Amino acid sequence: QVQLVESGGGLVQPGGSLRLSCAASGFTFSSYWMHWVRQAPGKGLEWVSGINTGGGSTYYADSVKGRFTISRDNAKNTLYLQMNSLKPEDTALYFCASPSRGCSGQGTQVTVSS
């Protein structure tokens, strides 16, 4: 059974940091590009970041470039998103996804508020 399970969300003050994790199972994680996407309240899906199979190439939306870092540990079948200098506009439900594998998780909520 293909499964992606996100964790690490929470409430953080502006300027703070969080590290999201996405545990993958049921497929060959190391063979697929992985992505983080988010959905803010009342808005559509926004692509945040992507990483290639080996982790050597990473890509970011302009809105998070320089603040977020995507990484992966293929030995642990886990995807990460390190989020620094968080802003209230980063508040959203964050999902990990593999469009080429056709799967996504249920999401983890990130709320940035004082």
Side-chain angles (χ1 to χ4, degrees):
Q1 179 183 0
V2 173
Q3 195 170 18
L4 294 172
V5 179
E6 301 92 341
S7 61
L11 173 63
V12 63
Q13 292 187 342
S17 298
L18 283 174
R19 188 193 195 202
L20 305 185
S21 298
C22 169
S25 60
F27 67 104
T28 307
F29 177 75
S30 60
S31 295
Y32 293 90
W33 284 57
M34 295 296 299
H35 303 264
W36 287 99
V37 296
R38 66 186 181 185
Q39 186 167 27
K43 297 188 177 181
L45 287 174
E46 177 189 13
W47 174 80
V48 174
S49 182
I51 188 168
N52 71 340
T53 55
S57 295
T58 57
Y59 305 87
Y60 300 94
D62 288 343
S63 58
V64 307
K65 199 171 295 182
R67 300 188 297 121
F68 290 11
T69 302
I70 190 171
S71 62
R72 66 191 298 164
D73 186 336
N74 286 340
K76 295 183 178 180
N77 290 341
T78 303
L79 177 72
Y80 302 100
L81 186 68
Q82 177 67 44
M83 306 186 297
N84 299 330
S85 302
L86 283 161
K87 305 175 181 180
E89 51 263 43
D90 294 317
T91 295
L93 189 62
Y94 284 73
F95 303 86
C96 60
S98 175
S100 56
R101 185 58 184 85
C103 57
S104 63
Q106 293 299 307
T108 185
Q109 178 66 40
V110 172
T111 302
V112 185
S113 175
S114 55

